[in-house]
Amino acid sequence: MGIGIDVDLRGTVNNDSDDDSPGFGKQIYFPIILANNIMLEPSFSYYSKEIEMDYDNSSIIDEKDEENTMLLQIGIYMTKKYKDMRAYAGFNIGRASIIREYTINENQEYDFNYFHPTLGLEYLINQNFSFGIEALLPSVTFEDELEGVGKYNYKTTSSDYNMKLRMYF
């Protein structure tokens, strides 16, 4: 059993830009090494953003926009240990929930499904600490019913990587 965190050399993964993309927090992992070279790694992340506009002009309505995002997922991997290294291959499956509340516009709520194959390698610094890198191919799907219009389907797949610090106890 252990705990792990993302090491992000690209800067923040949160979205503080003005576009409409959701923000995601850095993940916290809970690796569990089982017998028969199997590793389970549940994880979660949380992100919250609040923007307030207090206008000086009393004829304009003050605005407050909020966004809350939660991601829950589990990684299931086959592992192989080589001296001070552990290689693993498997997949992650999970679900993200995004809730946006607006003062003026209609509130939005989205649920996304996540799936991604993963290949990873971690260097075991000692029996309690490791540093690892993963290559992954995340696929995100989302489906929504647009009232009076039809069905909206969203799917994206892209290559990515993670760097992780893990502590085992």
Side-chain angles (χ1 to χ4, degrees):
M1 176 89 178
I3 189 166
I5 59 170
D6 278 334
V7 177
D8 193 353
L9 301 177
R10 297 173 282 192
T12 182
V13 293
N14 296 335
N15 180 13
D16 291 325
S17 65
D18 291 332
D19 69 15
D20 207 27
S21 301
F24 292 98
K26 297 197 180 4
Q27 290 189 62
I28 299 174
Y29 303 90
F30 300 95
I32 303 165
I33 307 294
L34 302 175
N36 301 324
N37 298 322
I38 296 174
M39 178 169 66
L40 301 178
E41 192 168 49
S43 65
F44 77 93
S45 71
Y46 177 77
Y47 173 73
S48 181
K49 175 170 66 174
E50 185 176 299
I51 300 170
E52 286 189 55
M53 286 295 300
D54 294 323
Y55 295 101
D56 293 335
N57 185 337
S58 63
S59 64
I60 299 175
I61 299 172
D62 291 342
E63 295 180 49
K64 182 177 179 182
D65 299 342
E66 294 180 54
E67 177 181 305
N68 293 295
T69 302
M70 177 163 306
L71 170 65
L72 298 172
Q73 65 181 10
I74 186 165
I76 302 170
Y77 310 110
M78 295 298 296
T79 67
K80 182 75 174 168
K81 191 172 176 187
Y82 304 97
K83 296 183 182 182
D84 293 340
M85 306 290 276
R86 179 181 293 126
Y88 54 95
F91 63 90
N92 285 304
I93 189 166
R95 189 156 177 91
S97 178
I98 301 169
I99 299 171
R100 293 177 172 164
E101 297 177 355
Y102 302 102
T103 304
I104 296 175
N105 298 327
E106 185 176 321
N107 292 344
Q108 300 171 334
E109 188 170 329
Y110 303 103
D111 290 313
F112 291 87
N113 295 312
Y114 279 86
F115 176 82
H116 51 85
T118 304
L119 293 173
L121 185 64
E122 68 178 328
Y123 173 69
L124 305 167
I125 299 166
N126 59 38
Q127 70 180 19
N128 297 105
F129 294 97
S130 75
F131 178 76
I133 188 164
E134 301 179 331
L136 43 119
L137 191 64
S139 179
V140 179
T141 58
F142 166 73
E143 188 175 288
D144 195 11
E145 188 73 32
L146 301 174
E147 194 173 315
V149 177
K151 202 175 250 192
Y152 173 78
N153 291 307
Y154 171 90
K155 183 175 181 179
T156 182
T157 303
S158 63
S159 59
D160 201 359
Y161 72 91
N162 280 343
M163 296 173 70
K164 296 180 180 178
L165 286 176
R166 292 183 177 108
M167 181 178 77
Y168 296 99
F169 38 87

